[in-house]
Amino acid sequence: MTNPKIEITKTEVLSNNWYTLRKITYNYLKKDGNWETQSREAYDRGNGATILLYNKNSKTVILTRQFRLPTYINGNETGMLIETCAGLLDKDNAEECIRRETEEETGYKISSVEKVFEVYMSPGSVTEIVYFFVAEYTKAMKVNEGGGVEEEQENIEVLELDFAQAYNMIATGEIKDAKTIMLLQHAKINRLIE
């Protein structure tokens, strides 16, 4: 850590159950030259990757639908969320991760991927960086039914949607997932599907 205006003075692990929640106390050098002590919590779940699969000829995209508990307890009546395929890196690099996750979740074995950007998704409380990819798919790349890994209890439904329909689902509120909105907008701005 290299910021001379920050001095970490204490790190406490509050939870190490699912991932790691830490409370960090630090001194912050303000503009007026005085040091101020602050304390924040940071949730470390590792970094992740996500991908938008698209088909130029059929003008379709592959998305997933699955139950997301945090959305359910925050007003999503069914808890179901439509999203781009995604996963945590674990020990893989981002490209290896997204290839593995694509096959596990969607059933497509993709030949090439393009990294388009990387993002801190919730920098106020979560350490995670998500690496964003796009890739073309064809029916010939379908090697299994997808749905996720059983021992991870994912229960993922694979959706093939018309791109225009998927993009419109942002406006209707049917798609509320940030990474999915960002990738659909990337596809629209960069005319990946016309």
Side-chain angles (χ1 to χ4, degrees), residues 7 39 52 54 57 97 105 113 118 127-128 136 158 174 178:
E7 295 175 347
S39 182
L52 178 66
Y54 66 96
N57 294 329
C97 167
E105 291 190 7
V113 299
E118 55 189 69
T127 61
E128 180 184 39
E136 290 191 61
V158 181
E174 294 169 89

Side-chain angles (χ1 to χ4, degrees), residues 91-105:
K91 296 193 181 353
D92 293 334
N93 68 43
E95 189 171 317
E96 290 169 348
C97 167
I98 206 56
R99 287 176 186 279
R100 179 191 73 243
E101 290 292 335
T102 299
E103 190 170 335
E104 287 176 5
E105 291 190 7

